[in-house]
Amino acid sequence: MKRILIISSSPRKNGNSQLLCQKFCKGAEEKGHSVELIRIAEKEIGYCRACDGCMRNNGECVLKDDMNEILKTFQDADVLVLATPIYFYGISAQMKTFIDRTYPIWQHLGCKDVYYIISAGLDKAIIERSLGDLDGFVEHLEK
Ligand SMILES: Cc1cc2nc3c(=O)[nH]c(=O)nc-3n(C[C@H](O)[C@H](O)[C@H](O)COP(=O)(O)O)c2cc1C
């Protein structure tokens, strides 16, 4: 049994990537895994202020919002699913904000299997040139 965290970042509640997240969730639960699906557009997650407060304060962010709880779930997860629509050749602002807010634990992101769920209007070549922010984040995982 693996602990799976799905970060769904489309603001559209019934959007394509969200529907794919729900399918992923159903399949994983049917296989006996424990899944948490978080729609970050519905959470209160402020922008990273780049104040370095977390670096001075043992990884504790100065912002007191939903991200603190999400980071705990993140650290416990064996599998991470990052779901985003493509907006102007990049990931959603919600997903980028989430990634930036992992800064307090960036040296302790742990080992995880990672999957991407990507939704776009155009073709695969457009998607591939749009994923640099996700790849840059995932490269910071320990494995
Ligand atoms: C602001 C905005 C920018 C977009 N930019 C792109 C783009 O650069 N390339 C692309 O293929 N699709 C683009 N799209 C289309 C979305 O990626 C597409 O509709 C996707 O299915 C939305 O994901 P969702 O259904 O999970 O919300 C854009 C949509 C919006 C609203």
Side-chain angles (χ1 to χ4, degrees):
M1 197 272 287
K2 289 191 173 175
R3 289 163 299 188
I4 302 174
L5 172 62
I6 305 177
I7 299 293
S8 176
S9 74
S10 173
R12 300 199 311 149
K13 210 171 185 170
N14 297 308
N16 299 303
S17 55
Q18 173 64 16
L19 293 178
L20 290 167
C21 287
Q22 287 163 355
K23 291 284 182 191
F24 191 106
C25 184
K26 187 169 178 283
E29 281 178 342
E30 281 170 5
K31 290 284 180 191
H33 300 295
S34 141
V35 188
E36 185 157 349
L37 197 174
I38 299 179
R39 278 189 41 75
I40 52 175
E42 291 170 5
K43 299 289 182 185
E44 189 190 330
I45 302 176
Y47 299 127
C48 173
R49 294 189 183 167
C51 63
D52 265 356
C54 57
M55 296 295 126
R56 290 189 296 273
N57 196 18
N58 206 21
E60 195 176 325
C61 184
V62 298
L63 299 176
K64 304 299 172 214
D65 59 18
D66 291 335
M67 195 61 195
N68 301 310
E69 204 53 42
I70 295 173
L71 279 185
K72 287 184 202 144
T73 310
F74 177 95
Q75 285 193 297
D76 289 342
D78 308 301
V79 177
L80 176 67
V81 180
L82 298 172
T84 182
I86 297 300
Y87 291 160
F88 289 101
Y89 296 88
I91 61 175
S92 67
Q94 289 84 354
M95 179 59 81
K96 186 64 169 73
T97 301
F98 164 81
I99 289 173
D100 290 350
R101 288 290 306 281
T102 63
Y103 187 47
I105 59 161
W106 78 272
Q107 287 165 312
H108 311 282
L109 293 173
C111 301
K112 299 180 200 311
D113 290 333
V114 181
Y115 295 86
Y116 295 165
I117 291 177
I118 310 296
S119 175
L122 301 174
D123 60 23
K124 194 165 172 247
I126 302 285
I127 292 176
E128 280 170 355
R129 63 173 274 200
S130 304
L131 298 182
D133 289 326
L134 290 188
D135 294 340
F137 172 59
V138 169
E139 278 171 25
H140 284 86
L141 297 179
E142 283 158 45
K143 200 174 155 201

